[in-house]
Coordinates of all heavy atoms in Angstrom, one line a residue:
S1 N 51.9 74.1 -97.3 CA 52.4 74.9 -96.2 C 52.5 74.2 -94.9 O 53.3 74.5 -94.0 CB 51.5 76.1 -96.0 OG 50.2 75.7 -95.7
F2 N 51.8 73.1 -94.7 CA 51.8 72.3 -93.5 C 53.2 71.6 -93.3 O 53.6 71.3 -92.2 CB 50.7 71.3 -93.4 CG 49.4 71.9 -93.0 CD1 48.6 72.5 -94.0 CD2 48.9 71.8 -91.7 CE1 47.3 73.1 -93.6 CE2 47.7 72.4 -91.3 CZ 46.9 73.0 -92.3
T3 N 53.8 71.3 -94.4 CA 55.1 70.7 -94.3 C 56.1 71.6 -93.6 O 56.9 71.1 -92.7 CB 55.7 70.4 -95.7 OG1 54.8 69.5 -96.4 CG2 57.0 69.7 -95.7
A4 N 56.1 72.9 -93.9 CA 56.9 73.9 -93.2 C 56.5 74.0 -91.7 O 57.3 74.1 -90.8 CB 57.0 75.2 -93.9
L5 N 55.1 74.1 -91.5 CA 54.6 74.3 -90.2 C 55.0 73.1 -89.3 O 55.2 73.3 -88.0 CB 53.1 74.4 -90.2 CG 52.5 75.7 -90.8 CD1 51.0 75.5 -90.9 CD2 52.8 76.8 -89.9
G6 N 55.2 72.0 -89.8 CA 55.5 70.8 -89.0 C 56.9 70.9 -88.4 O 57.2 70.1 -87.5
K7 N 57.7 71.8 -88.9 CA 59.1 72.0 -88.3 C 59.0 72.8 -87.1 O 60.0 72.9 -86.3 CB 60.0 72.6 -89.4 CG 60.2 71.8 -90.6 CD 61.0 72.6 -91.7 CE 61.2 71.7 -92.9 NZ 62.0 72.4 -94.0
V8 N 57.8 73.4 -86.8 CA 57.7 74.3 -85.7 C 56.6 73.7 -84.7 O 56.8 73.7 -83.5 CB 57.3 75.7 -86.1 CG1 57.1 76.6 -84.9 CG2 58.3 76.3 -87.0
F9 N 55.5 73.2 -85.3 CA 54.4 72.7 -84.5 C 54.4 71.2 -84.3 O 54.8 70.5 -85.2 CB 53.0 73.1 -85.2 CG 52.6 74.5 -85.1 CD1 53.0 75.5 -85.9 CD2 51.8 74.9 -84.0 CE1 52.6 76.8 -85.8 CE2 51.4 76.2 -83.9 CZ 51.8 77.1 -84.8
N10 N 54.1 70.9 -83.1 CA 54.0 69.4 -82.7 C 52.7 69.3 -81.9 O 52.7 69.8 -80.7 CB 55.2 68.9 -82.0 CG 55.2 67.4 -81.7 OD1 54.1 66.9 -81.6 ND2 56.3 66.8 -81.6
L11 N 51.7 68.8 -82.4 CA 50.4 68.8 -81.6 C 50.4 67.7 -80.5 O 49.4 67.6 -79.8 CB 49.2 68.5 -82.6 CG 49.0 69.6 -83.6 CD1 47.6 69.4 -84.3 CD2 49.1 71.0 -83.0
N12 N 51.5 67.1 -80.3 CA 51.6 66.3 -79.0 C 51.9 67.2 -77.8 O 51.8 66.8 -76.7 CB 52.8 65.3 -79.2 CG 52.4 64.2 -80.1 OD1 51.5 63.4 -79.9 ND2 53.1 64.1 -81.3
R13 N 52.4 68.4 -78.1 CA 52.7 69.4 -77.1 C 51.4 70.2 -76.7 O 50.7 70.7 -77.7 CB 53.8 70.4 -77.5 CG 55.1 69.7 -77.7 CD 56.2 70.7 -77.8 NE 56.1 71.6 -79.0 CZ 56.9 71.5 -80.1 NH1 57.9 70.6 -80.1 NH2 56.7 72.3 -81.1
K14 N 51.1 70.3 -75.5 CA 49.8 71.0 -75.1 C 49.8 72.4 -75.5 O 48.7 72.9 -76.0 CB 49.7 70.9 -73.5 CG 49.3 69.5 -73.0 CD 47.9 69.1 -73.5 CE 47.6 67.7 -73.0 NZ 47.4 67.6 -71.5
T15 N 50.9 73.1 -75.5 CA 50.9 74.5 -75.9 C 50.5 74.6 -77.4 O 49.7 75.5 -77.8 CB 52.2 75.2 -75.6 OG1 53.3 74.4 -76.2 CG2 52.5 75.3 -74.1
D16 N 51.1 73.8 -78.2 CA 50.8 73.8 -79.6 C 49.4 73.3 -79.9 O 48.7 73.9 -80.8 CB 51.8 72.9 -80.4 CG 53.2 73.4 -80.4 OD1 53.4 74.5 -79.9 OD2 54.1 72.8 -81.0
S17 N 48.9 72.4 -79.1 CA 47.5 71.9 -79.3 C 46.5 73.0 -79.0 O 45.6 73.2 -79.7 CB 47.3 70.7 -78.4 OG 46.0 70.2 -78.5
R18 N 46.8 73.7 -77.9 CA 45.9 74.8 -77.6 C 45.9 75.9 -78.6 O 44.8 76.5 -79.0 CB 46.3 75.4 -76.2 CG 45.8 74.6 -75.0 CD 45.9 75.3 -73.7 NE 47.3 75.6 -73.4 CZ 48.1 74.9 -72.6 NH1 47.6 73.7 -72.2 NH2 49.3 75.2 -72.4
L19 N 47.1 76.2 -79.2 CA 47.2 77.2 -80.2 C 46.4 76.8 -81.5 O 45.7 77.5 -82.1 CB 48.6 77.5 -80.5 CG 48.9 78.5 -81.7 CD1 48.2 79.8 -81.4 CD2 50.4 78.7 -81.9
A20 N 46.6 75.5 -81.8 CA 45.9 75.0 -83.0 C 44.4 75.0 -82.8 O 43.7 75.3 -83.7 CB 46.4 73.5 -83.3
S21 N 43.9 74.7 -81.6 CA 42.5 74.8 -81.3 C 41.9 76.2 -81.5 O 40.8 76.3 -82.1 CB 42.2 74.3 -79.9 OG 42.5 75.3 -78.9
R22 N 42.7 77.2 -81.2 CA 42.2 78.6 -81.4 C 42.2 78.9 -82.9 O 41.3 79.6 -83.3 CB 43.2 79.5 -80.6 CG 43.0 79.5 -79.1 CD 43.6 80.7 -78.4 NE 45.1 80.7 -78.5 CZ 45.9 80.2 -77.6 NH1 45.3 79.6 -76.5 NH2 47.2 80.2 -77.7
I23 N 43.2 78.4 -83.6 CA 43.2 78.7 -85.1 C 42.0 78.0 -85.7 O 41.3 78.6 -86.5 CB 44.5 78.2 -85.7 CG1 45.7 79.0 -85.1 CG2 44.4 78.2 -87.2 CD1 47.0 78.5 -85.5
F24 N 41.7 76.7 -85.4 CA 40.6 76.0 -85.9 C 39.3 76.6 -85.5 O 38.3 76.7 -86.3 CB 40.6 74.5 -85.5 CG 41.6 73.7 -86.3 CD1 42.8 73.2 -85.7 CD2 41.4 73.4 -87.6 CE1 43.7 72.4 -86.4 CE2 42.3 72.6 -88.4 CZ 43.4 72.1 -87.7
K25 N 39.2 77.1 -84.3 CA 38.0 77.8 -83.8 C 37.7 79.0 -84.6 O 36.5 79.3 -84.9 CB 38.1 78.1 -82.3 CG 36.9 78.8 -81.7 CD 35.7 77.9 -81.7 CE 34.5 78.5 -80.9 NZ 34.0 79.8 -81.3
K26 N 38.8 79.8 -84.9 CA 38.6 81.0 -85.7 C 38.0 80.6 -87.1 O 37.1 81.3 -87.6 CB 39.9 81.7 -85.8 CG 39.8 83.1 -86.6 CD 41.1 83.8 -86.6 CE 40.9 85.2 -87.3 NZ 42.2 85.9 -87.3
T27 N 38.6 79.6 -87.7 CA 38.0 79.1 -89.0 C 36.6 78.7 -88.8 O 35.8 78.9 -89.7 CB 38.9 78.0 -89.5 OG1 40.2 78.4 -89.6 CG2 38.4 77.5 -90.9

């Protein structure tokens, strides 16, 4: 599923990085 996510998410962008951090924090 990460292959598809990579078309939307780019963790070089601060907004995407912050969103990813919240997802990982929930896990």
Side-chain angles (χ1 to χ4, degrees):
S1 59
F2 280 83
T3 301
L5 286 173
K7 298 176 181 178
V8 179
F9 281 87
N10 184 333
L11 294 195
N12 291 296
R13 296 193 294 251
K14 288 293 179 68
T15 53
D16 290 358
S17 176
R18 283 194 292 270
L19 177 57
S21 75
R22 290 196 288 269
I23 294 170
F24 281 112
K25 179 63 168 62
K26 184 175 181 179
T27 303

